[in-house]
Amino acid sequence: MDVPMETITKRGSREELVDAGKGDIGVCGWVILVLSAFLTAILFPFSIWFCVKVVKEYERAVVFRLGRIISGKATGPGLMFILPCTDNFIKVDLRVLSFAIPPQEILTKDSVTTTVDGVVYYKVESAIKSVANVYNVHVATQQLAQTTLRNILGTQTLSSILSNREEIAHNIHSILDNATHEWGVKVERVEMRDVRLPVQMQRAMAAEAEAVREARAKVVAAEGEMNASRALKEASMVLMESPAAMQLRYLQTLNTIAAEHNSTIVFPLPIDMLQGLFHKMK
């Protein structure tokens, strides 16, 4: 029966973390372990200060005995016992950590230079993977985040970066989470904090936005003039049907002028009368 390659890979990764008790440490290794335990017993109770360690609730300890990981899993929280001469351990913090991505100068797809920075929140899920599979998991995660940010934004236009920041951050989050899984790291959240543009580009975008606003204002003013002309046309048709309404409108206009304490009174003349005078003069 064929065994899937994924199963073989997982099995191989587990076999790499065999503990000292099951692994073959050789005769020399057993001699060193026995001597270390014998010296610890002789020097008791002074050796207790070197053998007993405290692991906090949010920490896990990866213990190496003669270079092998003990029991294939992390130890803690609480008290743990180690042999001073043969054991050493590394504490791993399991709390959520964060780091700021330094400002990255990026050339976008439409050849615009911009500077973008962000922040990444992550935590260590597997203490053994974070110690055994990568030299410095925190530095590696930071470097990968910077590279991923530059690669993703390099394929985007400036308008898409400004309008689709959440979608871009989600893509970066997915890539980082998949890449750091083998390191025992879980990326919780990625955010783009600031997008900085050159001063000339800011001025050009401001001029463009101002021109668009002016064009919209002119369109709105033209629509208002058109609606006002239609309303005046309808009003004139109503006044033409009733001469008394024209007279009332004239008196109302005089009342409005007089209410402003103005000594000047304008008497409008009918256009028909002026046309009659022009015909007689000819």
Side-chain angles (χ1 to χ4, degrees):
M1 182 177 63
D2 296 336
V3 180
M5 293 299 298
E6 183 179 358
T7 304
I8 296 176
T9 304
K10 292 181 178 179
R11 188 179 302 170
S13 61
R14 292 175 182 173
E15 290 176 355
E16 292 177 357
L17 302 177
V18 178
D19 57 332
K22 296 181 180 179
D24 185 11
I25 62 176
V27 178
C28 183
W30 285 110
V31 172
I32 294 175
L33 286 177
V34 171
L35 290 177
S36 178
F38 180 71
L39 291 176
T40 302
I42 292 178
L43 297 177
F44 187 82
F46 300 101
S47 61
I48 195 67
W49 302 104
F50 302 95
C51 296
V52 178
K53 302 295 179 180
V54 178
V55 180
K56 298 179 181 179
E57 183 67 30
Y58 54 84
E59 294 178 336
R60 296 295 183 271
V62 181
V63 183
F64 293 88
R65 176 166 294 170
L66 296 178
R68 297 177 179 271
I69 297 178
I70 297 179
S71 71
K73 64 180 181 179
T75 305
L79 294 175
M80 68 175 186
F81 180 83
I82 62 173
L83 294 176
C85 300
T86 60
D87 296 351
N88 60 350
F89 66 96
I90 299 176
K91 288 185 179 181
V92 179
D93 196 332
L94 301 183
R95 293 177 293 183
V96 176
L97 305 175
S98 65
F99 64 88
I101 302 177
Q104 304 293 314
E105 188 173 355
I106 299 167
L107 183 64
T108 61
K109 188 177 180 179
D110 51 352
S111 301
V112 177
T113 303
T114 180
T115 303
V116 182
D117 61 352
V119 61
V120 178
Y121 298 89
Y122 70 101
K123 67 178 181 180
V124 177
E125 282 191 333
S126 175
I128 291 182
K129 286 184 178 181
S130 65
V131 173
N133 293 349
V134 62
Y135 176 71
N136 191 326
V137 66
H138 303 292
V139 174
T141 304
Q142 294 177 13
Q143 296 293 333
L144 181 61
Q146 295 180 24
T147 306
T148 305
L149 179 65
R150 296 179 64 90
N151 293 338
I152 292 296
L153 296 184
T155 60
Q156 302 290 329
T157 61
L158 179 61
S159 59
S160 63
I161 293 176
L162 296 177
S163 59
N164 300 326
R165 298 176 64 173
E166 294 184 359
E167 182 179 355
I168 295 174
H170 179 71
N171 294 336
I172 297 175
H173 173 216
S174 300
I175 295 175
L176 286 178
D177 195 19
N178 295 331
T180 58
H181 177 70
E182 295 297 329
W183 302 345
V185 173
K186 172 66 176 176
V187 179
E188 296 287 343
R189 190 178 182 88
V190 177
E191 292 291 342
M192 295 174 56
R193 293 195 301 183
D194 191 15
V195 179
R196 303 173 186 175
L197 300 176
V199 178
Q200 295 180 355
M201 180 60 64
Q202 295 179 9
R203 293 176 180 175
M205 294 179 66
E208 181 182 1
E210 185 177 358
V212 171
R213 287 194 296 268
E214 289 180 356
R216 291 179 181 175
K218 291 180 180 180
V219 171
V220 173
E223 291 179 353
E225 292 291 340
M226 182 176 62
N227 295 333
S229 63
R230 290 177 180 175
L232 290 174
K233 179 181 177 181
E234 294 177 359
S236 64
M237 294 176 64
V238 173
L239 293 175
M240 289 176 62
E241 294 176 357
S242 177
M246 183 65 181
Q247 185 66 21
L248 291 175
R249 181 59 182 165
Y250 171 69
L251 295 175
Q252 185 179 2
T253 304
L254 293 179
N255 186 21
T256 303
I257 296 174
E260 297 294 335
H261 303 284
N262 195 350
S263 60
T264 303
I265 299 177
V266 179
F267 292 93
L269 295 176
I271 297 178
D272 296 337
M273 183 182 296
L274 294 176
Q275 290 179 353
L277 292 176
F278 288 150
H279 287 297
K280 290 180 179 181
M281 292 176 62
K282 292 180 178 179

